[in-house]
Amino acid sequence: MVGYLHYKSGGIMAEKWFDELPDDAFLSEAEKTYMNALAKIKEGLAKGFDFNSASASVMIDDETLRQAVFDDVLKVIIAEEHFTKKVPLEQISQKLNLPIDRLDKARTEMLEDVENSTVNALHNDTEKGTEH
């Protein structure tokens, strides 16, 4: 089922059935929670709050999910600020008011995640016979 047709001031247009759904319609609750938390924390940081103050507005009942979200947000910040904008970790540590050890740990985990994803993708490509 592709959708339905309707008239729009220039002719008939086909629309897909999902065009009118909200952007997060296909996200799981955990993904929605993650995206909302990321947005709230980034908003707080943009207002000049430190990491813990910006994170305080995020309400997640599941403590494991809460910690995973906060760890991932740190990884996103490190990717954007340190790797993309070349801001030293020490400067990010001061801005976020977090110990440098916590940022080093998050950076190491992020690089391990990237390595594991790359190895898995290569392994999957090799299994499917799509070796490059």
Side-chain angles (χ1 to χ4, degrees), residues 9 34 36 62 74-75 83 114:
S9 68
Y34 173 82
N36 288 335
D62 181 340
L74 272 180
K75 292 174 188 177
F83 289 111
V114 170

Side-chain angles (χ1 to χ4, degrees), residues 21-70:
L21 292 175
D23 291 339
D24 64 356
F26 296 107
L27 297 178
S28 70
E29 284 305 310
E31 290 169 323
K32 289 178 188 177
T33 299
Y34 173 82
M35 297 304 289
N36 288 335
L38 178 60
K40 280 185 176 182
I41 293 171
K42 287 181 120 186
E43 180 182 319
L45 294 173
K47 291 180 180 176
F49 295 130
D50 65 20
F51 187 79
N52 290 329
S53 298
S55 300
S57 66
V58 175
M59 300 299 162
I60 301 174
D61 294 332
D62 181 340
E63 186 57 35
T64 303
L65 178 60
R66 179 180 168 83
Q67 195 56 52
V69 166
F70 291 166

